[in-house]
Short mmCIF file of all heavy atoms in Angstrom, two decimals:
data_model
loop_
_atom_site.label_atom_id
_atom_site.label_comp_id
_atom_site.label_asym_id
_atom_site.label_seq_id
_atom_site.Cartn_x
_atom_site.Cartn_y
_atom_site.Cartn_z
N VAL M 181 -7.02 9.92 -7.92
CA VAL M 181 -6.05 10.71 -7.26
C VAL M 181 -4.89 10.95 -8.25
O VAL M 181 -4.41 9.95 -8.85
CB VAL M 181 -5.53 10.17 -5.99
CG1 VAL M 181 -4.30 10.97 -5.37
CG2 VAL M 181 -6.58 9.90 -4.93
N ARG M 182 -4.50 12.16 -8.59
CA ARG M 182 -3.30 12.40 -9.35
C ARG M 182 -2.15 12.69 -8.45
O ARG M 182 -2.17 13.35 -7.52
CB ARG M 182 -3.49 13.66 -10.23
CG ARG M 182 -4.67 13.56 -11.28
CD ARG M 182 -4.51 14.62 -12.22
NE ARG M 182 -4.07 15.89 -11.72
CZ ARG M 182 -3.32 16.76 -12.48
NH1 ARG M 182 -2.92 16.66 -13.67
NH2 ARG M 182 -3.07 17.95 -11.87
N ALA M 183 -1.07 12.01 -8.82
CA ALA M 183 0.18 12.18 -8.01
C ALA M 183 0.61 13.63 -7.96
O ALA M 183 1.17 14.17 -6.97
CB ALA M 183 1.34 11.36 -8.69
N GLU M 184 0.35 14.36 -9.03
CA GLU M 184 0.73 15.85 -9.14
C GLU M 184 -0.04 16.68 -8.02
O GLU M 184 0.36 17.77 -7.79
CB GLU M 184 0.40 16.35 -10.45
CG GLU M 184 1.41 15.80 -11.60
CD GLU M 184 0.88 14.48 -12.12
OE1 GLU M 184 -0.11 13.96 -11.67
OE2 GLU M 184 1.60 13.89 -12.89
N ASP M 185 -1.18 16.19 -7.54
CA ASP M 185 -1.98 16.94 -6.55
C ASP M 185 -1.69 16.57 -5.22
O ASP M 185 -2.24 17.23 -4.24
CB ASP M 185 -3.56 16.55 -6.79
CG ASP M 185 -3.98 17.07 -8.23
OD1 ASP M 185 -3.29 18.13 -8.68
OD2 ASP M 185 -4.94 16.46 -8.76
N LEU M 186 -0.75 15.64 -4.94
CA LEU M 186 -0.35 15.26 -3.63
C LEU M 186 0.75 16.20 -3.03
O LEU M 186 1.53 16.70 -3.76
CB LEU M 186 0.12 13.84 -3.55
CG LEU M 186 -0.92 12.75 -4.03
CD1 LEU M 186 -0.26 11.43 -4.06
CD2 LEU M 186 -2.07 12.64 -2.98
N ASP M 187 0.58 16.29 -1.69
CA ASP M 187 1.64 17.11 -1.00
C ASP M 187 2.72 16.16 -0.49
O ASP M 187 2.64 14.86 -0.56
CB ASP M 187 1.05 17.85 0.13
CG ASP M 187 0.01 18.89 -0.37
OD1 ASP M 187 0.30 19.61 -1.31
OD2 ASP M 187 -1.29 18.79 0.13
N ALA M 188 3.77 16.67 0.24
CA ALA M 188 4.71 15.72 0.85
C ALA M 188 4.11 14.79 1.76
O ALA M 188 3.34 15.22 2.66
CB ALA M 188 5.83 16.66 1.59
N PRO M 189 4.38 13.53 1.60
CA PRO M 189 3.67 12.48 2.46
C PRO M 189 4.03 12.66 3.92
O PRO M 189 3.24 12.17 4.70
CB PRO M 189 4.16 11.18 1.82
CG PRO M 189 5.37 11.43 1.11
CD PRO M 189 5.33 12.86 0.62
N VAL M 190 5.25 13.14 4.24
CA VAL M 190 5.60 13.29 5.53
C VAL M 190 5.85 14.88 5.75
O VAL M 190 7.09 15.30 5.55
CB VAL M 190 6.95 12.59 6.00
CG1 VAL M 190 7.17 12.55 7.49
CG2 VAL M 190 6.75 11.09 5.56
N PRO M 191 4.82 15.64 5.96
CA PRO M 191 5.00 17.07 5.89
C PRO M 191 5.89 17.72 6.95
O PRO M 191 6.47 18.85 6.71
CB PRO M 191 3.59 17.61 5.92
CG PRO M 191 2.84 16.49 6.61
CD PRO M 191 3.47 15.24 6.25
N VAL M 192 5.84 17.15 8.15
CA VAL M 192 6.54 17.74 9.27
C VAL M 192 7.30 16.70 10.02
O VAL M 192 6.99 16.26 11.17
CB VAL M 192 5.60 18.55 10.22
CG1 VAL M 192 6.44 19.35 11.23
CG2 VAL M 192 4.66 19.36 9.55
N PRO M 193 8.44 16.09 9.45
CA PRO M 193 9.12 15.05 10.09
C PRO M 193 9.76 15.55 11.37
O PRO M 193 10.34 16.63 11.45
CB PRO M 193 10.17 14.69 9.10
CG PRO M 193 10.35 15.83 8.20
CD PRO M 193 8.96 16.49 8.15
N PRO M 194 9.73 14.75 12.49
CA PRO M 194 10.50 15.21 13.71
C PRO M 194 11.94 15.49 13.51
O PRO M 194 12.56 16.31 14.09
CB PRO M 194 10.23 14.00 14.69
CG PRO M 194 9.00 13.33 14.19
CD PRO M 194 9.04 13.47 12.71
N ALA M 195 12.58 14.58 12.50
CA ALA M 195 13.88 14.75 12.29
C ALA M 195 14.18 14.26 10.81
O ALA M 195 13.53 13.34 10.33
CB ALA M 195 14.84 13.88 13.29
N ILE M 196 15.15 14.89 10.07
CA ILE M 196 15.58 14.45 8.80
C ILE M 196 17.12 14.15 8.97
O ILE M 196 17.93 15.00 9.18
CB ILE M 196 15.40 15.46 7.74
CG1 ILE M 196 13.90 16.02 7.74
CG2 ILE M 196 15.86 14.95 6.39
CD1 ILE M 196 13.66 17.15 6.81
N ILE M 197 17.49 12.84 8.91
CA ILE M 197 18.79 12.43 9.13
C ILE M 197 19.33 11.99 7.71
O ILE M 197 18.69 11.19 7.01
CB ILE M 197 18.93 11.30 10.06
CG1 ILE M 197 18.35 11.65 11.44
CG2 ILE M 197 20.35 10.86 10.29
CD1 ILE M 197 17.27 10.79 11.97
N ALA M 198 20.48 12.45 7.29
CA ALA M 198 21.05 12.22 6.06
C ALA M 198 22.47 11.45 6.11
O ALA M 198 23.28 11.91 7.04
CB ALA M 198 21.15 13.32 5.16
N ILE M 199 22.72 10.55 5.18
CA ILE M 199 23.96 9.82 5.23
C ILE M 199 24.78 10.27 4.03
O ILE M 199 24.25 10.07 2.89
CB ILE M 199 23.70 8.29 5.25
CG1 ILE M 199 22.91 7.96 6.58
CG2 ILE M 199 25.00 7.46 5.18
CD1 ILE M 199 22.39 6.48 6.45
N GLY M 200 25.97 10.64 4.23
CA GLY M 200 26.86 11.16 3.13
C GLY M 200 27.85 10.12 2.67
O GLY M 200 28.11 9.28 3.44
N LEU M 201 28.25 10.24 1.42
CA LEU M 201 29.36 9.40 0.89
C LEU M 201 29.15 7.93 1.03
O LEU M 201 30.01 7.14 1.31
CB LEU M 201 30.70 9.89 1.56
CG LEU M 201 31.11 11.26 1.63
CD1 LEU M 201 32.39 11.49 2.31
CD2 LEU M 201 31.10 11.85 0.23
N ASN M 202 27.82 7.53 0.82
CA ASN M 202 27.53 6.14 1.04
C ASN M 202 27.55 5.28 -0.21
O ASN M 202 27.10 4.09 -0.08
CB ASN M 202 26.15 6.06 1.70
CG ASN M 202 25.91 4.73 2.59
OD1 ASN M 202 26.90 4.01 2.81
ND2 ASN M 202 24.65 4.48 2.87
N TYR M 203 28.10 5.86 -1.34
CA TYR M 203 28.39 5.12 -2.45
C TYR M 203 29.86 5.33 -2.80
O TYR M 203 30.29 6.55 -2.77
CB TYR M 203 27.53 5.57 -3.68
CG TYR M 203 26.10 5.12 -3.66
CD1 TYR M 203 25.19 5.75 -2.88
CD2 TYR M 203 25.65 4.00 -4.47
CE1 TYR M 203 23.77 5.41 -2.92
CE2 TYR M 203 24.39 3.62 -4.43
CZ TYR M 203 23.42 4.31 -3.69
OH TYR M 203 22.09 3.95 -3.70
N ALA M 204 30.66 4.36 -3.10
CA ALA M 204 32.05 4.54 -3.28
C ALA M 204 32.34 5.58 -4.39
O ALA M 204 33.20 6.45 -4.17
CB ALA M 204 32.77 3.18 -3.57
N GLU M 205 31.74 5.42 -5.59
CA GLU M 205 32.07 6.29 -6.64
C GLU M 205 31.62 7.77 -6.39
O GLU M 205 32.28 8.69 -6.89
CB GLU M 205 31.41 5.76 -7.98
CG GLU M 205 32.02 4.52 -8.50
CD GLU M 205 33.62 4.62 -8.65
OE1 GLU M 205 33.96 5.60 -9.24
OE2 GLU M 205 34.25 3.74 -8.21
N HIS M 206 30.56 7.99 -5.60
CA HIS M 206 30.17 9.31 -5.21
C HIS M 206 31.26 9.82 -4.37
O HIS M 206 31.54 11.04 -4.41
CB HIS M 206 28.82 9.27 -4.58
CG HIS M 206 28.45 10.58 -4.10
ND1 HIS M 206 28.33 11.73 -4.73
CD2 HIS M 206 28.19 11.01 -2.77
CE1 HIS M 206 28.01 12.75 -3.97
NE2 HIS M 206 27.89 12.36 -2.73
N ALA M 207 31.72 9.02 -3.32
CA ALA M 207 32.80 9.59 -2.44
C ALA M 207 33.98 10.08 -3.30
O ALA M 207 34.48 11.11 -3.10
CB ALA M 207 33.17 8.51 -1.48
N ARG M 208 34.37 9.10 -4.29
CA ARG M 208 35.50 9.57 -5.09
C ARG M 208 35.37 10.77 -5.91
O ARG M 208 36.20 11.58 -6.11
CB ARG M 208 35.97 8.28 -5.93
CG ARG M 208 36.48 7.11 -5.16
CD ARG M 208 37.05 6.04 -6.00
NE ARG M 208 37.44 4.86 -5.28
CZ ARG M 208 36.66 3.79 -5.06
NH1 ARG M 208 35.49 3.66 -5.70
NH2 ARG M 208 37.06 2.78 -4.34
N GLU M 209 34.10 10.92 -6.51
CA GLU M 209 33.95 12.07 -7.38
C GLU M 209 33.99 13.36 -6.68
O GLU M 209 34.14 14.38 -7.20
CB GLU M 209 32.67 11.90 -8.26
CG GLU M 209 31.31 12.12 -7.36
CD GLU M 209 30.05 12.06 -8.12
OE1 GLU M 209 30.09 12.13 -9.37
OE2 GLU M 209 28.98 11.97 -7.51
N THR M 210 33.65 13.32 -5.32
CA THR M 210 33.74 14.52 -4.49
C THR M 210 35.08 14.66 -3.74
O THR M 210 35.18 15.62 -2.91
CB THR M 210 32.54 14.53 -3.46
OG1 THR M 210 32.58 13.36 -2.75
CG2 THR M 210 31.26 14.57 -4.19
N GLY M 211 35.99 13.88 -4.10
CA GLY M 211 37.35 14.09 -3.48
C GLY M 211 37.59 13.38 -2.29
O GLY M 211 38.65 13.56 -1.60
N PHE M 212 36.76 12.40 -1.88
CA PHE M 212 37.05 11.66 -0.67
C PHE M 212 37.19 10.21 -0.85
O PHE M 212 36.70 9.71 -1.88
CB PHE M 212 35.78 11.79 0.30
CG PHE M 212 35.46 13.25 0.76
CD1 PHE M 212 34.63 14.02 0.08
CD2 PHE M 212 36.10 13.72 1.86
CE1 PHE M 212 34.39 15.37 0.46
CE2 PHE M 212 35.86 15.11 2.31
CZ PHE M 212 35.01 15.85 1.56
N GLU M 213 37.90 9.53 0.05
CA GLU M 213 38.12 8.17 -0.08
C GLU M 213 36.72 7.55 0.63
O GLU M 213 36.22 8.05 1.44
CB GLU M 213 39.22 7.65 0.79
CG GLU M 213 40.54 7.82 0.12
CD GLU M 213 40.71 7.14 -1.17
OE1 GLU M 213 40.39 5.96 -1.25
OE2 GLU M 213 41.03 7.76 -2.21
N PRO M 214 36.29 6.43 -0.03
CA PRO M 214 35.11 5.81 0.56
C PRO M 214 35.30 5.42 1.94
O PRO M 214 36.27 4.87 2.37
CB PRO M 214 34.89 4.47 -0.32
CG PRO M 214 35.68 4.82 -1.62
CD PRO M 214 36.84 5.70 -1.21
N PRO M 215 34.29 5.70 2.77
CA PRO M 215 34.43 5.47 4.25
C PRO M 215 34.39 3.94 4.52
O PRO M 215 33.80 3.21 3.82
CB PRO M 215 33.13 6.11 4.86
CG PRO M 215 32.17 6.20 3.66
CD PRO M 215 33.04 6.37 2.55
N THR M 216 35.14 3.59 5.57
CA THR M 216 35.19 2.17 6.00
C THR M 216 34.41 2.12 7.32
O THR M 216 33.94 1.03 7.69
CB THR M 216 36.66 1.69 6.22
OG1 THR M 216 37.31 2.58 7.09
CG2 THR M 216 37.34 1.65 4.95
N GLU M 217 34.34 3.19 8.09
CA GLU M 217 33.47 3.19 9.21
C GLU M 217 32.15 3.90 8.82
O GLU M 217 31.96 4.16 7.53
CB GLU M 217 34.14 3.97 10.32
CG GLU M 217 35.43 3.36 10.75
CD GLU M 217 35.39 1.97 11.35
OE1 GLU M 217 34.30 1.72 11.99
OE2 GLU M 217 36.31 1.22 11.19
N LEU M 218 31.19 4.19 9.65
CA LEU M 218 29.98 4.78 9.32
C LEU M 218 30.21 6.08 8.51
O LEU M 218 30.98 6.93 8.98
CB LEU M 218 29.15 5.07 10.57
CG LEU M 218 27.73 5.65 10.33
CD1 LEU M 218 26.92 4.58 9.71
CD2 LEU M 218 27.14 6.09 11.63
N PRO M 219 29.62 6.25 7.37
CA PRO M 219 29.80 7.48 6.60
C PRO M 219 29.38 8.70 7.40
O PRO M 219 28.64 8.62 8.46
CB PRO M 219 28.90 7.28 5.43
CG PRO M 219 28.67 5.81 5.35
CD PRO M 219 28.64 5.38 6.79
N PRO M 220 29.72 9.91 7.00
CA PRO M 220 29.33 11.16 7.69
C PRO M 220 27.76 11.28 7.72
O PRO M 220 27.05 10.97 6.80
CB PRO M 220 30.01 12.26 6.87
CG PRO M 220 30.28 11.61 5.55
CD PRO M 220 30.48 10.18 5.81
N ILE M 221 27.32 11.71 8.92
CA ILE M 221 25.92 11.89 9.19
C ILE M 221 25.66 13.39 9.36
O ILE M 221 26.40 14.12 10.03
CB ILE M 221 25.37 11.19 10.42
CG1 ILE M 221 25.85 9.61 10.36
CG2 ILE M 221 23.91 11.28 10.69
CD1 ILE M 221 25.27 8.95 9.21
N PHE M 222 24.52 13.93 8.73
CA PHE M 222 24.21 15.30 8.98
C PHE M 222 22.66 15.37 8.91
O PHE M 222 21.99 14.39 8.67
CB PHE M 222 24.81 16.22 7.89
CG PHE M 222 24.47 15.84 6.49
CD1 PHE M 222 23.34 16.42 5.87
CD2 PHE M 222 25.12 14.91 5.82
CE1 PHE M 222 22.91 16.02 4.55
CE2 PHE M 222 24.87 14.55 4.44
CZ PHE M 222 23.73 15.15 3.85
N ALA M 223 22.18 16.56 9.32
CA ALA M 223 20.65 16.75 9.40
C ALA M 223 20.27 17.76 8.43
O ALA M 223 21.02 18.80 8.13
CB ALA M 223 20.32 17.20 10.88
N LYS M 224 19.11 17.64 7.81
CA LYS M 224 18.52 18.66 7.06
C LYS M 224 17.30 19.25 7.91
O LYS M 224 16.86 18.44 8.82
CB LYS M 224 17.85 18.09 5.72
CG LYS M 224 18.99 17.68 4.79
CD LYS M 224 18.47 17.00 3.53
CE LYS M 224 17.69 17.86 2.57
NZ LYS M 224 18.63 18.58 1.69
N PHE M 225 16.86 20.44 7.81
CA PHE M 225 15.93 21.00 8.66
C PHE M 225 14.44 20.77 8.03
O PHE M 225 14.34 20.85 6.74
CB PHE M 225 16.13 22.51 8.95
CG PHE M 225 17.39 22.67 9.80
CD1 PHE M 225 18.69 22.82 9.23
CD2 PHE M 225 17.21 22.70 11.15
CE1 PHE M 225 19.69 22.97 9.98
CE2 PHE M 225 18.37 22.93 11.94
CZ PHE M 225 19.59 23.02 11.37
N PRO M 226 13.51 20.52 8.82
CA PRO M 226 12.19 20.17 8.35
C PRO M 226 11.52 21.26 7.43
O PRO M 226 10.66 20.89 6.57
CB PRO M 226 11.30 19.94 9.53
CG PRO M 226 12.23 19.47 10.61
CD PRO M 226 13.58 20.26 10.39
N SER M 227 11.92 22.48 7.54
CA SER M 227 11.42 23.61 6.73
C SER M 227 11.78 23.44 5.33
O SER M 227 11.23 24.08 4.37
CB SER M 227 11.80 24.90 7.17
OG SER M 227 13.21 25.03 7.26
N SER M 228 12.74 22.55 4.94
CA SER M 228 13.08 22.21 3.62
C SER M 228 12.26 21.25 2.80
O SER M 228 12.47 21.00 1.67
CB SER M 228 14.65 21.78 3.55
OG SER M 228 14.74 20.53 4.25
#
Side-chain angles (χ1 to χ4, degrees):
V181 178
R182 295 196 324 150
E184 293 81 2
D185 295 333
L186 296 173
D187 300 307
V190 190
V192 192
I196 307 173
I197 303 129
I199 300 171
L201 308 181
N202 204 13
Y203 287 80
E205 290 306 315
H206 172 59
R208 294 189 183 98
E209 74 177 348
T210 54
F212 296 94
E213 285 300 311
T216 55
E217 302 298 328
L218 184 65
I221 306 300
F222 57 92
K224 292 170 77 78
F225 291 89
S227 58
S228 63

